[in-house]
Amino acid sequence: MASIAGRVLVYGGKGALGSKLVDLFKAKNWWVGSLDLVPNEEAHANFVVQRDLSWTDQEAAVEKDVEESLKDEKVDAILCVAGGWAGGSAANKAMIKNADAMWKQSVWPSTISARLAHKFLKEGGTLVLPGAQPAVKGTPGMIGYGMAKAAVHQLVKSLAEDKSGMPANSFVAAILPVTLDTPMNRKFMPNADHSAWTRLETVAELLLKWSGNEERPANGSLVQLITKEGVTEYIPA
């Protein structure tokens, strides 16, 4: 590539939101690396995460692959939008199984992204992690999901503090959507009020601005994405 606007790693780059990020950043002349269980053909580089590895082995493999690809380059932004959803109260037989899945889908990628930020993010760069608005309070019907997202919120607060291992002057935040307007959510909730769902393009454009050091909130912010009648507001939790 001739002259590039910046470099970004998208963790979860083949998911609904991740794919939108890959497409938007690429269209804006950024170099884009995608990390996911499967490649995103639109990205400039792919780092395939091995689902069956342990947490520590997954981190070691991802770090090695990214280091080999970047060589001595640093990235301007790391955007982690990996995740999933599972329900279940304490009465649910699958509660522990679902909680385990939520931990692997949200907390593992977020902590690995924090390690990648320590090693490969430029000074003044951007790290965004995937929180959730419902996890600001109790989530009795989806205990594992709420636990995992609350852990991500805490991680953001820790990374924003001094001596966290983040590069100098870097910016870290979490996005806390209520419901994202994804094909899967439309499939499973066809009769919901879709005007209260946050469009993927809206989120992608917000993260592009933050990655370019525009309109950033305070470091360590947990930013709720509250959508009403198709209009999204960004409200710190």
Side-chain angles (χ1 to χ4, degrees):
M1 294 172 68
S3 150
I4 61 168
R7 293 177 186 272
V8 61
L9 294 173
V10 180
Y11 207 130
K14 188 58 174 170
L17 178 53
S19 294
K20 282 276 186 255
L21 288 167
V22 170
D23 292 348
L24 177 63
F25 276 81
K26 194 176 171 191
K28 298 293 184 183
N29 206 31
W30 285 59
W31 177 92
V32 184
S34 171
L35 299 92
D36 211 322
L37 301 171
V38 290
N40 181 329
E41 298 75 16
E42 298 303 317
H44 296 106
N46 276 283
F47 309 99
V48 177
V49 180
Q50 304 299 325
R51 187 196 301 268
D52 299 330
L53 294 181
S54 69
W55 194 353
T56 49
D57 288 347
Q58 217 176 73
E59 183 248 346
V62 166
E63 254 184 60
K64 179 172 173 286
D65 288 351
V66 171
E67 188 158 30
E68 284 173 1
S69 174
L70 289 176
K71 299 186 171 65
D72 295 323
E73 291 284 355
K74 300 268 186 180
V75 298
D76 299 88
I78 298 172
L79 309 176
C80 179
V81 291
W85 183 87
S89 70
N92 188 312
K93 217 187 298 187
M95 176 201 158
I96 302 298
K97 178 175 158 241
N98 287 351
D100 180 59
M102 293 300 90
W103 205 258
K104 285 173 176 165
Q105 288 176 28
S106 281
V107 178
W108 287 21
S110 294
T111 50
I112 293 170
S113 294
R115 284 287 299 152
L116 294 175
H118 164 71
K119 291 196 77 170
F120 306 116
L121 191 64
K122 286 180 182 174
E123 291 193 359
T126 296
L127 172 65
V128 177
L129 300 181
Q133 198 278 332
V136 171
K137 44 189 192 295
T139 54
M142 44 182 186
I143 286 176
Y145 177 83
M147 282 170 61
K149 293 300 187 180
V152 173
H153 298 175
Q154 205 282 336
L155 175 59
V156 166
K157 291 295 183 189
S158 293
L159 292 173
E161 297 278 336
D162 288 343
K163 300 180 182 171
S164 68
M166 288 288 286
N169 304 314
S170 55
F171 164 74
V172 58
I175 48 169
L176 277 58
V178 180
T179 308
L180 292 175
D181 193 354
T182 65
M184 203 59 88
N185 283 340
R186 289 215 173 221
K187 179 181 171 185
F188 289 112
M189 296 181 274
N191 302 318
D193 175 11
H194 297 152
S195 75
W197 291 8
T198 306
R199 291 170 66 247
L200 299 180
E201 293 82 0
T202 301
V203 184
E205 282 157 14
L206 176 71
L207 299 192
L208 178 67
K209 283 180 185 167
W210 288 358
S211 300
N213 197 9
E214 292 176 38
E215 297 178 28
R216 286 175 175 173
N219 193 28
S221 288
L222 308 177
V223 181
Q224 303 173 95
L225 310 181
I226 308 297
T227 303
K228 289 176 186 162
E229 296 176 3
V231 178
T232 301
E233 285 189 274
Y234 310 114
I235 301 168

